[in-house]
Amino acid sequence: MATVEPKLILLFSGKRKSGKDYVTDLIHQRLGPDVCCILRLSGPLKQQYAQDHGLDLAELMGPGEYKEKYRADMIQWGENQREKDPGVFCRLAIKGAQQPIWIVSDARRLSDLQWFWRVYPSQSRCVRVEASEETRRERGWEFTAGIDDAESECGLDQGVNFDWIIKNEGDGSHLEEQLATGLLSIAKEKAKEN
Ligand SMILES: Nc1ncnc2c1ncn2[C@@H]1O[C@H](COP(=O)(O)OP(=O)(O)O)[C@@H](O)[C@H]1O
Ligand SMILES: C[C@@](O)(CCOP(=O)(O)OP(=O)(O)O)CC(=O)O
């Protein structure tokens, strides 16, 4: 099925356990599956990695220790693929998307953002989910050298002027209010463009 030209692309990034999946799931629930879809750059990466290495894809896609066991090698494997073709996982992730709003839940590198800025310059907005290390630890994060100090986690720490920053501390008591305000602001901006 051909990919439909989107009207808006929200490119989410954030540290491990900052709440990227949690927040994007909430937005997806709010807007509904007819209006928006969640696209994961890690989806096609994990699919190919699992196939190449004879691993359990469902486990790799899950939140547990299995993914963490292979994360470092997946990162290296993925970067090797990106060196050959920077947009490879972006193209695969959007394949067949039909909804007008795309939520990319896991942008990690400038090359990810640059691909969307180049191919969909007027539709792409960068969103950062932020949480303190304390909150992230409460959610099960532990600093891991070679991962939390590498491009996969730090690639967007500098040099990006985010269109929207979402603070997702603790139980996210102010999260709903931020989502309502942020989505309304983007909708108003898009309405002015058209
Ligand atoms: N605002 C929140 N309230 C309650 N639980 C949250 C909140 N944000 C994240 N979580 C939980 O924290 C864990 C990590 O969130 P997740 O979205 O998987 O992080 P990321 O995708 O950034 O690694 C998950 O168990 C998720 O349900
Ligand atoms: C190799 C990866 O794609 C693995 C990403 O897996 P997830 O997207 O499941 O990670 P978190 O949700 O942040 O815990 C990272 C990369 O550098 O491409």
Side-chain angles (χ1 to χ4, degrees):
M1 187 180 289
T3 301
V4 171
E5 184 80 359
K7 295 192 182 306
L8 174 66
I9 305 171
L10 299 176
L11 299 163
F12 276 79
S13 67
K15 302 287 188 180
R16 288 195 297 153
K17 305 297 185 189
S18 60
K20 298 183 294 298
D21 286 333
Y22 185 90
V23 170
T24 52
D25 284 346
L26 276 183
I27 294 175
H28 184 250
Q29 289 165 27
R30 269 176 171 273
L31 297 183
D34 294 340
V35 169
C36 75
C37 57
I38 295 179
L39 306 174
R40 293 184 173 85
L41 305 184
S42 64
L45 184 153
K46 291 177 178 178
Q47 190 165 9
Q48 189 60 51
Y49 181 83
Q51 189 176 318
D52 289 1
H53 296 80
L55 298 176
D56 183 328
L57 177 58
E59 284 293 318
L60 275 186
M61 299 295 276
E65 276 314 302
Y66 189 88
K67 164 174 78 173
E68 299 310 329
K69 179 180 172 185
Y70 293 101
R71 185 187 290 267
D73 195 50
M74 275 198 286
I75 289 171
Q76 190 55 61
W77 182 88
E79 289 177 352
N80 294 342
Q81 305 306 314
R82 285 185 176 90
E83 274 173 28
K84 291 180 271 188
D85 178 358
V88 59
F89 300 121
C90 299
R91 286 198 310 277
L92 289 171
I94 70 166
K95 206 167 184 178
Q98 297 295 303
Q99 291 86 341
I101 297 177
W102 298 351
I103 300 172
V104 177
S105 67
D106 58 352
R108 295 175 172 276
R109 296 167 175 81
L110 273 176
S111 61
D112 298 335
L113 300 186
Q114 288 164 344
W115 187 87
F116 282 96
W117 285 333
R118 178 170 58 80
V119 180
Y120 301 105
S122 65
Q123 298 100 314
S124 297
R125 300 293 181 276
C126 293
V127 190
R128 187 72 169 178
V129 180
E130 291 186 348
S132 63
E133 289 194 355
E134 180 187 1
T135 288
R136 293 168 60 208
R137 273 192 288 272
E138 288 167 1
R139 295 169 180 164
W141 172 76
E142 283 180 22
F143 178 85
T144 307
I147 288 175
D148 291 300
D149 52 7
E151 185 189 33
S152 175
E153 289 293 303
C154 304
L156 300 178
D157 286 358
Q158 311 290 333
V160 181
N161 181 21
F162 289 103
D163 298 289
W164 183 14
I165 293 175
I166 298 172
K167 303 283 188 187
N168 182 31
E169 287 300 339
D171 63 358
S173 50
H174 299 295
L175 194 52
E176 290 290 345
E177 179 188 336
Q178 288 184 80
L179 297 188
T181 308
L183 290 171
L184 185 60
S185 170
I186 289 172
K188 284 179 177 175
E189 180 222 327
K190 290 299 286 178
K192 284 178 191 166
E193 280 177 10
N194 297 335

